Amino acid sequence: MGKLFDKIRRIQDKTRPFCTAIIPAAGSSTRMGGQDKLLTDLCGAPVLMRTLCAIDRTELVDEIIVATREELLLTVADLCGRCGLHKPVKVVRGGSTRAQSVLAAALEANPKAGLLAVHDAARPLVDPAEFDEIIRLACRTNAAAPAVPVTDTIKAADPTDGRVLSTPDRSTLFAVYTPQVIEASLLKAALQSAIDAGAEITDDCSAVERLGKEVYLATGSRENIKITTPLDLLIAEAILRGRDR
């Protein structure tokens, strides 16, 4: 039975839409103590290089587009060249917000792209097989992302004085990671709508949700951390050392 499922999956993979991976990399790394987190060394290679190489090992991504700051265009292009990537890669100028950067990259995607897989540049430990599974889910649902259940108790509080307002049921709460894979025309429309409305969105799924569209979550890996602070970098190093054992 397992061989039959594998055969069906291979057939489905061959007929799936063209998929462009978008890497927003135009952030300012304000919480990294003055260093650019994407160019910071992580066990012998820059964070961004590890992210790109992981995506390059996926089976279902067809091309990669990196959106970065104008002053880093040449630096990132050079880094992409040093990665030895097998998939086509393009570097474009991002915007002042995540939504603007993702949209700028989306507009540069191959016209054949039916799916756009947006992945944080600062998530270098993503599992290529998990990346492919989210693409497969998006083929069926139009919008999908990996997530892990929240294990801490979460409080909603007044930001002005810290007064607790409520305690949400954590059984319904999930931390959402990337890649977030969305049907191409839907994501472009969602991002443009959010930008036009001046809406602050923290991820691409929330832009889709603004339009009343459904998003589906799949079980993600807790190792797929986002490097935001120096502590995150230490954790990522420990994970990589553990993988090498």
Side-chain angles (χ1 to χ4, degrees):
M1 186 64 72
K3 291 183 178 179
L4 176 60
F5 285 143
D6 288 343
K7 184 176 181 180
I8 293 173
R9 171 168 285 183
R10 286 195 295 271
I11 293 172
Q12 291 174 335
D13 286 350
K14 289 181 180 179
T15 59
R16 51 115 188 135
F18 187 100
C19 181
T20 298
I22 292 175
I23 316 300
S28 56
S29 302
T30 54
R31 286 169 286 184
M32 276 297 288
Q35 57 183 329
D36 190 317
K37 63 185 177 183
L38 300 184
L39 302 179
T40 298
D41 180 83
L42 174 58
C43 293
V47 168
L48 180 57
M49 179 178 286
R50 288 191 175 275
T51 301
L52 291 169
C53 289
I55 297 173
D56 196 52
R57 294 196 299 273
T58 63
E59 296 180 4
L60 303 183
V61 169
D62 296 291
E63 70 171 352
I64 302 170
I65 301 179
V66 184
T68 190
R69 304 194 302 275
E70 185 167 10
E71 66 269 24
L72 288 179
L73 286 171
L74 293 179
T75 299
V76 172
D78 176 70
L79 184 147
C80 290
R82 290 188 284 116
C83 287
L85 304 175
H86 298 91
K87 301 181 188 297
V89 61
K90 184 186 300 184
V91 180
V92 302
R93 183 168 60 86
S96 58
T97 67
R98 178 191 174 89
Q100 290 172 346
S101 291
V102 174
L103 182 58
L107 295 175
E108 294 293 331
N110 190 304
K112 296 186 298 183
L115 292 174
L116 300 174
V118 186
H119 184 66
D120 295 326
R123 290 189 190 271
L125 305 185
V126 65
D127 180 358
E130 180 181 312
F131 204 114
D132 285 332
E133 283 304 311
I134 301 302
I135 292 173
R136 292 187 181 101
L137 179 57
C139 286
R140 304 192 299 271
T141 64
N142 286 331
V148 298
V150 170
T151 56
D152 294 325
T153 296
I154 303 298
K155 301 287 186 182
D158 187 326
T160 61
D161 61 8
R163 179 172 54 90
V164 172
L165 303 176
S166 65
T167 304
D169 177 5
R170 71 181 180 188
S171 68
T172 66
L173 300 177
F174 295 83
V176 181
Y177 294 174
T178 65
Q180 299 187 2
V181 187
I182 301 166
E183 193 275 326
S185 61
L186 172 58
L187 179 58
K188 292 176 192 176
L191 292 172
Q192 190 64 66
S193 173
I195 292 169
D196 291 345
E200 294 186 12
I201 59 170
T202 57
D203 72 343
D204 306 285
C205 287
S206 60
V208 171
E209 293 159 27
R210 282 189 70 256
L211 298 186
K213 303 299 182 180
E214 293 180 332
V215 174
Y216 290 80
L217 302 180
T219 302
S221 168
R222 294 188 185 277
E223 290 189 357
N224 183 19
I225 66 170
K226 183 178 182 181
I227 296 175
T228 304
T229 68
L231 177 60
D232 297 326
L233 192 63
L234 293 175
I235 295 172
E237 290 172 350
I239 292 171
L240 281 176
R241 286 195 295 269
R243 289 180 179 180
D244 291 337
R245 291 197 185 107

